[in-house]
Amino acid sequence: MTVRVLIAEDQGMMRDALALLLGLEDDLEIVAQVASGEEIVPAARQHAPDVALLDVELPGRSGLEALPELRAALPGCAVLVLTTFARPGYLRRAMEAGAAGFLVKDGPVEELAAAIRRAVAGERVVDPALAAAALTAGPSPLTGRERDVLAAALDGATIADVAARLHLSESTVRNHLSSAIGKTHTRNRIEAARLARHNGWL
């Protein structure tokens, strides 16, 4: 059986290399390549892959954000999340959204090809070191709205800017930021946002 694969990766050189190397495997066929998060679901609907390889960091929409919609649109498509950033929070979010696996990009292509086959067979494939780190780190303490507010504050935006972006009142933004700062045991919103991003909670 030939396994049909979709690759979502914004770096052209990495995307081309993955497609070339995986295409050398007799049982793998690259049926679609996309460079942004918004392209994932339309391309998957068009090409009906058996497996989708999603990068976490994509322009417009992250692979983690596209994952639930992709799973809903094509329940039979196994999703493997690939990342340069081995953040435990990313792993937890990917697994909760129904990913079949989570792998760090620095592994050999043979391991990725084997992971694709295992995912098609219904197995879960997770980088062992990252799985151990995720168990140690525990779940994110932040609510969904606290995550949204911290993410909007990452670039140093003012309270008014964050409120306008998220269509919230400034007092609501302050409350969410104060709660997030307390939960992350940091001194201000910039530190809280950086810590949350480092842990993969954003």
Side-chain angles (χ1 to χ4, degrees):
M1 179 187 111
T2 299
V3 178
R4 297 166 56 81
V5 180
L6 175 149
I7 299 172
E9 164 63 57
D10 63 323
Q11 296 180 16
M13 192 176 292
M14 171 70 78
R15 188 173 63 250
D16 291 346
L18 277 175
L20 178 65
L21 293 169
L22 291 174
L24 295 175
E25 301 287 326
D26 292 338
D27 58 339
L28 304 182
E29 179 188 359
I30 310 305
V31 295
Q33 299 179 51
V34 300
S36 72
E38 287 96 344
E39 297 175 272
I40 292 171
V41 174
R45 287 184 188 278
Q46 181 179 349
H47 297 282
D50 301 305
V51 176
L53 305 179
L54 306 187
D55 186 18
V56 172
E57 303 282 340
L58 291 169
R61 188 183 194 195
S62 76
L64 292 178
E65 291 168 339
L67 204 166
E69 187 184 344
L70 174 57
R71 293 285 299 136
L74 279 86
C77 177
V79 179
L80 292 175
V81 176
L82 304 179
T83 184
T84 306
F85 308 102
R87 293 173 178 155
Y90 283 173
L91 168 60
R92 194 174 288 273
R93 286 168 60 195
M95 292 296 119
E96 288 172 355
F102 194 99
L103 301 165
V104 179
K105 285 182 188 176
D106 60 4
V109 74
E110 293 81 10
E111 283 185 13
L112 178 56
I116 290 171
R117 296 181 187 106
R118 289 173 61 192
V120 169
E123 295 181 42
R124 284 226 164 159
V125 190
V126 178
D127 180 270
L130 193 53
L135 289 173
T136 304
S140 168
L142 304 172
T143 66
R145 188 50 94 181
E146 287 164 358
R147 275 202 317 266
D148 293 343
V149 169
L150 277 184
L154 255 179
D155 59 1
T158 65
I159 298 287
D161 291 337
V162 173
R165 284 181 198 171
L166 299 179
H167 309 290
L168 298 172
S169 71
E170 291 185 26
S171 62
T172 298
V173 169
R174 283 194 189 91
N175 288 340
H176 286 309
L177 286 173
S178 176
S179 178
I181 290 165
K183 288 178 179 179
T184 54
H185 308 292
T186 51
R187 293 176 297 180
N188 54 55
R189 66 180 186 265
I190 300 300
E191 284 187 11
R194 285 176 180 160
L195 177 69
R197 183 167 175 78
H198 174 75
N199 286 335
W201 298 338
L202 299 186

